[in-house]
Amino acid sequence: MLLPLKVLSLSFKFILLGFGNLPELQILLFLVFLVIYIVTMSGNILIVALVVADQHLHTPMYFFLGNLSCLETCYTLTILPRLLASLLTGDRTISVSGCFVQFYCFGCLITTECYLLAVMSYDRYLAICKPLHYATLMNSRLCLQLAAGSWISGFLTCVITMWFMLQLIFCGPNEIDHFFCDFSPMLKLSCSDTSMITLVSFILASINTPCPFLLTVTSYVCIIATILRIPSTTGRQKAFSTCSSHLIVVTVFYGTLMTVYLLPKTSTLKALNKVFSVFYTVLTPMLNPLIYSLRNKEVKEALRKPRVCGI
């Protein structure tokens, strides 16, 4: 059973500093993030709707893409509404419970995305490296198991971190130098001994990030090796086109994620850290549907169908 969070008083609230050091840009930032929010939500919901409605997209690849778009929608709802509200109203406070809910949802979703991207790379590995056995190996039952396993792994892993977080006492400073409730900035505000939760989070992060990442890299090494052995240029281009969108998404996601969490935690790099955090929390969910819709022939055809029907 989770124990109640210990704070100095019932009125205790966190303050998300966000981009408060740029008062002259608050309206501009609000408009920029509002456009990103609308584009992200519209794009990802559209992808989910297309995958559900179009029979031609009822394949493992698009089933996992639908899961990714659903995840990105939840991701956006976790981060952006609170950020937009603070930019518009100037109220940067967030309740303790609200902060911990945001932290838990963010942790669950980012862990799930690591596993889901690994699953998608494994799907492309089977499709390109074992095409004759693909339909048998990647059946509907395995698809459901892999997708469910990705979601469950994310949510269960974060329960452990959350349990330790709820044991902490917050009695001093309440300013979180970030635009959302992230692990490290929150930990700095605790009056408790954080050595145990730091160790636990390190162990969990060492399992939940490198393992899916290595699986993804291994899959693409095998994919690229197989593509290079294809004799014809047309064959190589066709094979690569089936995984190029996913490869771009993986590169953007892990590139920005590693930059944020591997950068030295110095005062001079704080602003840069926020910028890269915007990339993987805000921009990546917006780019994913754009990348898949622009580079995938099947998605573009599915997008044209309503127009054809309406003519």
Side-chain angles (χ1 to χ4, degrees), residues 80 109 155 260 278 310:
L80 273 180
L109 293 169
F155 281 82
V260 168
V278 168

Side-chain angles (χ1 to χ4, degrees), residues 14 16 94-104 176 180-182 186:
F14 291 118
L16 291 169
I94 183 171
S95 66
V96 173
S97 58
C99 194
F100 273 74
V101 168
Q102 187 184 61
F103 164 73
Y104 177 72
I176 298 175
F180 69 99
C181 297
D182 200 5
M186 289 178 68

